[in-house]
């Protein structure tokens, strides 16, 4: 099996200062994974109005697009430090019948929904791959104006996922949901910004502090952490190394405006500077 990744989820338009910029976890993750050496393919959905297909393909990333009359559009409005999020358009849903034919199984499959667009049945369709997911997009619902709020999810539908990534901000009363999540998913990673990230594996919980950095732009930090983790885990199958490598890539990402594309050499330099003595097991 070659070192490859299939990333599923909407590439979208984010409204920024009156214009569109590239958005979507799938887009961030694909560009990072391809830059760091994985053969990368996206299964997504956007309309003919999508402005960044050529940009993504310029990295050598293969796009399989589920046709749609429109492209997903997000807008973030900040009031008194609180983010209010709107969705103005939405691409097509992505289901079992949309999977393209693959010559060989992918090493990794990352399900990265942003607008509840991925059929959860996909979790169980890749028996020869390491199946991973970010949960946020499955927890979003919206009203007639497009204002986004959280919804309840049946965690049993995550069966088939090996590694789940989420933020402490994704789920209200996270501690109440963790036992169920851990029952259905073998490895759960919970990121918490500058406070680091917790790894839940089996009966164990381990906290890995974040690198002390001057944050410029947190956009895509969670996606870069996930890709860093997965690239390291694919190579070593070592969870400590994967968590530290994820932190290293995420820390480089938040130090610059927009997505950072550091070399593996630069990531490893930061990785080797990590203070492993501050890792705490519970």
């Amino acid at each position: 099996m070659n070192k490859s990744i299939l990333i599923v989820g909407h590439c979208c338009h984010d409204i920024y200062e009156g214009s569109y910029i590239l958005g979507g976890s799938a887009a961030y993750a694909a560009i990072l994974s391809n830059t760091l050496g994985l053969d990368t393919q996206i299964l997504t959905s956007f309309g003919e109005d999508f402005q960044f297909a050529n940009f993504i393909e310029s990295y050598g990333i293969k796009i399989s697009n589920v046709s749609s009359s429109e492209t997903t559009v997000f807008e973030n409005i900040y009031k008194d430090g609180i983010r209010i999020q709107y969705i103005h358009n939405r691409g097509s849903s992505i289901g079992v019948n949309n999977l393209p034919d693959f010559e060989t199984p992918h090493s990794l499959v990352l399900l990265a929904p942003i607008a509840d667009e991925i059929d959860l049945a996909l979790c169980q369709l890749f028996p020869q791959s390491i199946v991973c997911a970010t949960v946020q997009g499955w927890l979003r619902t919206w009203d007639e104006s497009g204002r986004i709020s959280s919804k309840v999810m049946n965690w049993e539908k995550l069966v088939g996922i090996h590694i789940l990534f989420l933020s402490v901000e994704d789920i209200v009363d996270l501690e109440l949901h963790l036992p169920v999540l851990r029952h259905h998913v073998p490895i759960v990673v919970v990121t918490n910004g500058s406070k680091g990230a917790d790894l839940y594996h089996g009966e164990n919980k381990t906290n890995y502090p974040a690198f002390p950095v001057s944050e410029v732009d947190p956009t895509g930090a969670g996606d870069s952490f996930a890709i860093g983790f997965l690239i390291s885990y694919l190579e070593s199958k070592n969870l400590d190394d994967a968590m530290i490598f994820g932190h290293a890539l995420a820390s480089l990402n938040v130090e610059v405006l927009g997505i950072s594309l550091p070399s593996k050499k630069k990531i490893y330099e930061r990785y080797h500077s990590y203070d492993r003595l501050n890792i705490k097991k519970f």
Side-chain angles (χ1 to χ4, degrees):
M1 187 183 298
N2 64 334
K3 290 185 177 181
S4 63
I5 185 169
L6 171 67
I7 301 173
V8 185
H10 282 176
C11 300
C12 73
H13 290 152
D14 285 343
I15 298 175
Y16 180 75
E17 296 184 349
S19 300
Y20 286 153
I21 61 173
L22 176 61
S25 294
Y28 274 110
I31 292 170
L32 280 169
S33 63
N34 184 78
T35 301
L36 294 173
L38 293 185
D39 182 10
T40 304
Q41 182 174 357
I42 295 178
L43 173 59
T44 188
S45 179
F46 52 73
E48 293 182 359
D49 60 329
F50 185 56
Q51 298 179 6
F52 301 100
N54 291 337
F55 173 73
I56 294 171
E57 290 177 330
S58 71
Y59 285 91
I61 298 166
K62 182 179 179 181
I63 299 175
S64 296
N65 185 49
V66 179
S67 63
S68 175
S69 60
E70 55 191 14
T71 296
T72 300
V73 177
F74 278 93
E75 180 179 14
N76 295 315
I77 299 173
Y78 293 89
K79 292 183 178 180
D80 300 323
I82 299 174
R83 184 181 73 168
I84 302 173
Q85 195 170 41
Y86 288 86
I87 183 169
H88 296 298
N89 297 313
R90 181 183 180 275
S92 298
S93 296
I94 302 171
V96 175
N97 294 332
N98 301 126
L99 286 178
D101 293 328
F102 306 120
E103 293 182 3
T104 57
H106 292 82
S107 312
L108 298 165
V109 175
L110 176 61
L111 306 178
I114 59 173
D116 197 18
E117 72 272 28
I118 300 175
D119 185 344
L120 284 156
L122 268 66
C123 297
Q124 301 182 45
L125 292 187
F126 304 95
Q128 299 183 62
S129 305
I130 300 172
V131 183
C132 322
T134 57
V135 75
Q136 185 182 62
W138 280 315
L139 302 175
R140 286 176 171 152
T141 188
W142 48 91
D143 59 22
E144 292 182 357
S145 71
R147 183 167 177 169
I148 291 174
S149 58
S150 297
K151 70 172 185 176
V152 177
M153 181 174 172
N154 180 358
W155 301 118
E156 291 183 5
K157 293 186 176 181
L158 296 178
V159 171
I161 291 174
H162 303 106
I163 305 170
L164 183 69
F165 298 94
L166 62 147
S167 164
V168 293
E169 299 175 349
D170 290 338
I171 304 173
V172 178
D173 296 325
L174 175 60
E175 291 297 326
L176 297 178
H177 294 273
L178 270 172
V180 182
L181 280 171
R182 296 173 68 180
H183 177 73
H184 295 298
V185 181
I187 299 171
V188 178
V189 179
V190 181
T191 59
N192 192 12
S194 62
K195 295 181 181 179
D198 292 328
L199 171 72
Y200 297 89
H201 180 227
E203 299 299 320
N204 301 314
K205 171 187 175 181
T206 308
N207 175 261
Y208 298 79
F211 283 91
V213 297
S214 297
E215 183 178 293
V216 175
D217 180 11
T219 304
D223 302 319
S224 58
F225 183 99
I227 289 300
F229 179 104
L230 294 176
I231 287 174
S232 176
Y233 186 72
L234 182 62
E235 293 178 350
S236 70
K237 298 298 187 295
N238 184 293
L239 290 171
D240 284 338
D241 288 347
M243 291 292 291
I244 297 169
F245 201 82
H247 269 318
L249 181 54
S251 69
L252 291 166
N253 186 80
V254 302
E255 288 181 328
V256 300
L257 184 64
I259 192 169
S260 174
L261 300 174
S263 65
K264 270 195 173 183
K265 179 181 178 181
K266 192 169 184 178
I267 303 169
Y268 272 112
E269 287 175 353
R270 182 152 293 183
Y271 161 88
H272 287 300
S273 72
Y274 189 80
D275 185 1
R276 292 173 178 254
L277 294 178
N278 281 327
I279 297 173
K280 297 178 181 178
K281 296 184 182 293
F282 298 91

